[in-house]
Structures are given as C-alpha cells and as structure tokens.
Amino acid sequence: ETRTEPSLEKYILDRLGIIKWIYLKIWFVIKKKLETLQEWQKEILREVFGKVDKHGNRIIRQVYLEVPRKAGKTTLASAIALWLLIEGEPGAEIYSAAASREQAHICFDSAKNMVEACPPLAAKLQPFKNTIIYPDTKSFYKSISADAHTAHGGNPHGIVIDELHTQKSRELYDTLMTGTLARRQPLCVMITTAGSDRTSFCHDMHSHCQKWLDGTIVDKTFYGKIFAADLDDDWTSEATWKKANPGYGI
C-alpha cells in the first residue's frame, strides 16, 4: 500500500540540509538569485522521496522532468544523484547518462563541484576526474555516454539521464533499467528540455507523462512534471509565462 509519511518528508527535506545547502550556496546564493529552494523543487523532492511502501522503500522508481533551459534542472538532478550516493544503499552505483560524454559530464561536474565546495560532503566523498566514491558503503557515481559499453553489466541504484530529447534510441535507457532489477528501490531521473522529434524515445516518455498527469494511466511508480504552455494558451499572458517556466519572476 502506498503511503506518505510526513516524518519521512520532513526527514528528506531536513536531511537535504546537505543537498539544500549545496543547491543554495553553490548555485543560487553565489549567483544571488534565491535564498530558499523554489516550491516546484520542494514538490518534486517531497513526491519522489516522501512516498514509501510498508517496508520503508521508495515507491517512485521513474521521474520525468521537462523544464525550460536555465531553470536549474541539471543542478537539481546533480543534487539528487549525490543523495542517492549517500543515502545508505550498499554498493550503490549511480550513473549520469547522456547522448554524449560531454553532456553526461555536465551533471557529474556539477555534483563534483558541490562536493568540493561543501565541507561535510568533502569529508565523506572522494571525487576523481570521472568518478565520485563513497567509501562508507563502497558506492560510486560516474558519468557514461550513450555509446559507452560500461552501461552493460552494471547494477544501478540511481540513474540520471540528462537532455533525454538528444537520445537517438531507448537502448541506453533499457540497458541501465535492466540492471536495476536486483535493487530494492532504484530511481531513474530523466530530465530534458522540450524536443521536436515525435518519433523519439523522449516523445514516448513525454506522452506517458502527459497521460499520467491527466489520469489516463495510473502508475504509482512514476512521477512527472511538464512545464510548458498549451497550444491554446495566450502567449502574451504572464500566467502562460509562469506556467512554462517554474522559476519565472524569481
């Protein structure tokens, strides 16, 4: 039975003291843009991490986020990847994946910068060029690209796929997700800006998310958000701007 534990929600948001500190200090406070997490980010964290089953395992297994550019989605995904690395899963394998090595490294490098700038994390984690290691649980976080053979044979606990719309096929996704079958509570986070290819895997996920949002399908293991204007929205209206950009006006 799916249930939401307020205490767990509070624990997540409080424990995200680390992630919140990173996210604010490194990304927003330095840039003097924000003093607190935005509500849309809090909502995502509550929904994804706050829902557990009767055994205390996370309910949500897949997340699809479609957010406009410069909204901070990759930085949020980096923080989530670090949380998955340190949440206590023995031998956790966390992967940042993208169509190219360079794109995959954007999310990874953001996380690495967070570690190096945050004393509590720096004391626990060992960042290297392509890998971050958490010795306490013998876990690691690394980046891979769509053409990387290292995706095969893995046992992912956490997966972050950046700019999903650039994936030429679902092969990398399928390979990584197959590897999660032995995990108790794996999580795959797919983040992207809007794409235009209606034959792509990203469009398939967009359609799945849209049907989930409007109630056409029920999937308790899925969570998604699409920040976009509808075709019949007035593009000159400020309400439309806010609808399409969760950080508008901040």
Side-chain angles (χ1 to χ4, degrees):
E1 179 181 352
T2 302
R3 61 189 173 91
T4 298
E5 289 191 8
S7 59
L8 181 59
E9 290 189 8
K10 185 177 186 300
Y11 169 77
I12 291 299
L13 291 176
D14 288 349
R15 178 72 181 274
L16 280 183
I18 291 180
I19 292 181
K20 182 176 179 180
W21 189 92
I22 296 168
Y23 196 66
L24 299 180
K25 296 292 184 183
I26 306 306
W27 187 252
F28 286 117
V29 172
I30 288 178
K31 293 177 177 288
K32 298 181 179 179
K33 289 185 177 180
L34 279 181
E35 293 182 356
T36 60
L37 284 172
Q38 296 179 54
E39 188 54 42
W40 71 274
Q41 296 159 341
K42 291 181 181 180
E43 178 187 346
I44 290 170
L45 294 173
R46 281 193 295 264
E47 291 295 320
V48 173
F49 291 99
K51 292 182 177 179
V52 297
D53 62 20
K54 62 182 180 181
H55 303 294
N57 294 325
R58 191 166 38 244
I59 293 290
I60 303 300
R61 302 299 173 87
Q62 294 192 77
V63 179
Y64 177 84
L65 301 176
E66 190 172 308
V67 189
R69 296 183 186 279
K70 305 302 180 182
K73 62 184 182 301
T74 299
T75 309
L76 179 60
S78 301
I80 290 175
L82 285 178
W83 169 263
L84 294 171
L85 177 64
I86 65 175
E87 72 173 342
E89 178 75 8
E93 298 178 16
I94 316 301
Y95 296 97
S96 285
S100 68
R101 172 73 67 178
E102 292 75 17
Q103 185 64 47
H105 248 291
I106 291 175
C107 186
F108 175 84
D109 287 343
S110 174
K112 183 179 176 182
N113 290 338
M114 293 175 182
V115 172
E116 293 174 343
C118 177
L121 282 178
K124 286 285 188 181
L125 303 178
Q126 299 174 354
F128 297 96
K129 182 178 180 180
N130 297 310
T131 309
I132 300 173
I133 296 175
Y134 183 34
D136 286 7
T137 58
K138 296 180 173 58
S139 302
F140 67 79
Y141 170 32
K142 67 190 301 183
S143 65
I144 59 174
S145 60
D147 58 357
H149 296 294
T150 52
H152 295 271
N155 182 22
H157 171 63
I159 303 164
V160 176
I161 304 180
D162 198 7
E163 295 299 0
L164 187 67
H165 73 280
T166 63
Q167 290 289 326
K168 295 180 180 179
S169 73
R170 59 178 296 150
E171 182 179 358
L172 180 63
Y173 166 85
D174 287 338
T175 299
L176 289 169
M177 289 300 293
T178 299
T180 67
L181 296 178
R183 293 289 182 180
R184 290 181 302 110
Q185 50 176 357
L187 180 66
C188 176
V189 179
M190 294 163 278
I191 57 176
T192 190
T193 50
S196 57
D197 184 355
R198 292 182 174 273
T199 65
S200 68
F201 171 54
C202 183
H203 187 263
D204 291 344
M205 289 306 305
H206 171 94
S207 299
H208 179 85
C209 183
Q210 192 62 64
K211 292 175 182 177
W212 178 83
L213 288 168
D214 64 25
T216 302
I217 61 174
V218 175
D219 185 350
K220 293 182 179 180
T221 66
F222 180 86
Y223 177 79
K225 293 287 286 187
I226 298 175
F227 293 98
D230 293 323
L231 291 176
D232 57 351
D233 286 338
D234 179 6
W235 66 269
T236 66
S237 169
E238 187 172 9
T240 301
W241 306 342
K242 292 179 179 179
K243 181 179 179 180
N245 187 347
Y248 175 79
I250 298 177

Short mmCIF file of all heavy atoms in Angstrom, two decimals, residues 13 23 31 49 51 72 83 137 184 195 199 203 214 219-220 238 250:
data_model
loop_
_atom_site.label_atom_id
_atom_site.label_comp_id
_atom_site.label_asym_id
_atom_site.label_seq_id
_atom_site.Cartn_x
_atom_site.Cartn_y
_atom_site.Cartn_z
N LEU A 13 13.53 16.57 3.57
CA LEU A 13 13.80 17.99 3.36
C LEU A 13 14.82 18.52 4.37
O LEU A 13 15.61 19.41 4.06
CB LEU A 13 12.50 18.79 3.43
CG LEU A 13 11.55 18.53 2.26
CD1 LEU A 13 10.25 19.29 2.45
CD2 LEU A 13 12.19 18.92 0.95
N TYR A 23 22.76 23.13 -2.96
CA TYR A 23 21.98 23.71 -4.05
C TYR A 23 21.90 25.23 -3.93
O TYR A 23 22.03 25.95 -4.91
CB TYR A 23 20.59 23.09 -4.02
CG TYR A 23 19.81 23.30 -5.31
CD1 TYR A 23 20.24 22.72 -6.48
CD2 TYR A 23 18.66 24.07 -5.32
CE1 TYR A 23 19.54 22.90 -7.65
CE2 TYR A 23 17.95 24.25 -6.50
CZ TYR A 23 18.40 23.66 -7.66
OH TYR A 23 17.70 23.85 -8.81
N LYS A 31 25.07 33.16 -7.04
CA LYS A 31 24.55 33.97 -8.14
C LYS A 31 23.54 35.00 -7.65
O LYS A 31 23.00 35.76 -8.43
CB LYS A 31 23.92 33.06 -9.20
CG LYS A 31 24.95 32.19 -9.92
CD LYS A 31 24.27 31.26 -10.91
CE LYS A 31 25.29 30.44 -11.67
NZ LYS A 31 26.06 31.21 -12.64
N PHE A 49 10.77 11.40 -2.89
CA PHE A 49 11.41 10.76 -1.75
C PHE A 49 10.48 10.56 -0.56
O PHE A 49 10.81 9.82 0.37
CB PHE A 49 12.62 11.58 -1.31
CG PHE A 49 13.75 11.56 -2.29
CD1 PHE A 49 13.93 12.61 -3.18
CD2 PHE A 49 14.62 10.50 -2.34
CE1 PHE A 49 14.97 12.59 -4.11
CE2 PHE A 49 15.67 10.47 -3.25
CZ PHE A 49 15.84 11.52 -4.14
N LYS A 51 7.34 9.30 -0.48
CA LYS A 51 6.37 8.21 -0.56
C LYS A 51 7.08 6.87 -0.45
O LYS A 51 7.97 6.56 -1.24
CB LYS A 51 5.58 8.29 -1.86
CG LYS A 51 4.67 9.51 -1.92
CD LYS A 51 3.85 9.54 -3.20
CE LYS A 51 2.89 10.72 -3.21
NZ LYS A 51 2.10 10.78 -4.45
N GLY A 72 17.62 25.46 -13.78
CA GLY A 72 18.34 24.78 -12.72
C GLY A 72 18.04 23.30 -12.62
O GLY A 72 18.33 22.68 -11.60
N TRP A 83 22.44 12.57 -3.39
CA TRP A 83 21.61 11.99 -2.32
C TRP A 83 21.56 10.48 -2.46
O TRP A 83 21.72 9.73 -1.50
CB TRP A 83 20.21 12.59 -2.36
CG TRP A 83 19.27 11.85 -1.47
CD1 TRP A 83 18.39 10.87 -1.83
CD2 TRP A 83 19.14 11.97 -0.06
NE1 TRP A 83 17.71 10.39 -0.74
CE2 TRP A 83 18.17 11.06 0.36
CE3 TRP A 83 19.77 12.78 0.88
CZ2 TRP A 83 17.80 10.91 1.70
CZ3 TRP A 83 19.39 12.65 2.21
CH2 TRP A 83 18.42 11.73 2.60
N THR A 137 29.96 3.01 2.10
CA THR A 137 29.08 1.96 1.59
C THR A 137 29.64 1.31 0.32
O THR A 137 28.94 0.58 -0.36
CB THR A 137 27.67 2.50 1.28
OG1 THR A 137 27.78 3.58 0.33
CG2 THR A 137 26.99 2.99 2.55
N ARG A 184 16.59 -2.74 -4.34
CA ARG A 184 15.34 -2.62 -3.58
C ARG A 184 14.52 -1.41 -4.00
O ARG A 184 13.30 -1.47 -4.08
CB ARG A 184 15.65 -2.50 -2.08
CG ARG A 184 16.19 -3.73 -1.42
CD ARG A 184 16.44 -3.49 0.06
NE ARG A 184 17.35 -2.39 0.29
CZ ARG A 184 17.02 -1.21 0.81
NH1 ARG A 184 15.77 -0.97 1.15
NH2 ARG A 184 17.93 -0.28 1.00
N GLY A 195 11.59 18.63 -26.82
CA GLY A 195 12.13 18.21 -28.11
C GLY A 195 11.06 18.32 -29.19
O GLY A 195 9.88 18.55 -28.91
N THR A 199 9.07 10.94 -33.07
CA THR A 199 9.35 9.50 -33.17
C THR A 199 10.39 9.07 -32.13
O THR A 199 10.79 7.91 -32.11
CB THR A 199 9.87 9.15 -34.57
OG1 THR A 199 11.14 9.79 -34.79
CG2 THR A 199 8.89 9.59 -35.65
N HIS A 203 9.88 11.59 -26.78
CA HIS A 203 8.46 11.87 -27.03
C HIS A 203 7.58 10.78 -26.45
O HIS A 203 6.48 11.06 -25.94
CB HIS A 203 8.19 12.00 -28.53
CG HIS A 203 6.80 12.44 -28.84
ND1 HIS A 203 5.79 11.54 -29.16
CD2 HIS A 203 6.22 13.66 -28.85
CE1 HIS A 203 4.66 12.20 -29.36
NE2 HIS A 203 4.89 13.48 -29.19
N ASP A 214 -2.88 13.54 -16.77
CA ASP A 214 -4.32 13.75 -16.97
C ASP A 214 -5.16 12.56 -16.48
O ASP A 214 -6.38 12.55 -16.62
CB ASP A 214 -4.65 14.08 -18.43
CG ASP A 214 -4.32 12.96 -19.41
OD1 ASP A 214 -4.29 11.79 -19.01
OD2 ASP A 214 -4.08 13.26 -20.61
N ASP A 219 0.08 4.92 -12.68
CA ASP A 219 1.39 4.30 -12.48
C ASP A 219 1.95 4.84 -11.17
O ASP A 219 2.46 5.97 -11.12
CB ASP A 219 2.31 4.62 -13.65
CG ASP A 219 3.66 3.91 -13.56
OD1 ASP A 219 3.94 3.33 -12.49
OD2 ASP A 219 4.42 3.94 -14.54
N LYS A 220 1.84 4.06 -10.10
CA LYS A 220 2.25 4.52 -8.79
C LYS A 220 3.77 4.65 -8.65
O LYS A 220 4.25 5.27 -7.70
CB LYS A 220 1.72 3.57 -7.71
CG LYS A 220 0.21 3.60 -7.57
CD LYS A 220 -0.26 2.67 -6.45
CE LYS A 220 -1.77 2.72 -6.30
NZ LYS A 220 -2.24 1.82 -5.21
N GLU A 238 1.00 36.75 -18.75
CA GLU A 238 2.02 36.44 -17.74
C GLU A 238 1.75 35.08 -17.10
O GLU A 238 2.68 34.38 -16.72
CB GLU A 238 2.06 37.53 -16.67
CG GLU A 238 3.20 37.36 -15.68
CD GLU A 238 3.35 38.54 -14.74
OE1 GLU A 238 2.46 39.42 -14.74
OE2 GLU A 238 4.36 38.58 -14.02
N ILE A 250 11.45 35.02 -10.22
CA ILE A 250 12.29 34.88 -9.02
C ILE A 250 13.66 35.49 -9.29
O ILE A 250 14.25 35.25 -10.32
CB ILE A 250 12.45 33.40 -8.64
CG1 ILE A 250 11.08 32.82 -8.31
CG2 ILE A 250 13.41 33.22 -7.48
CD1 ILE A 250 11.10 31.35 -7.98
#
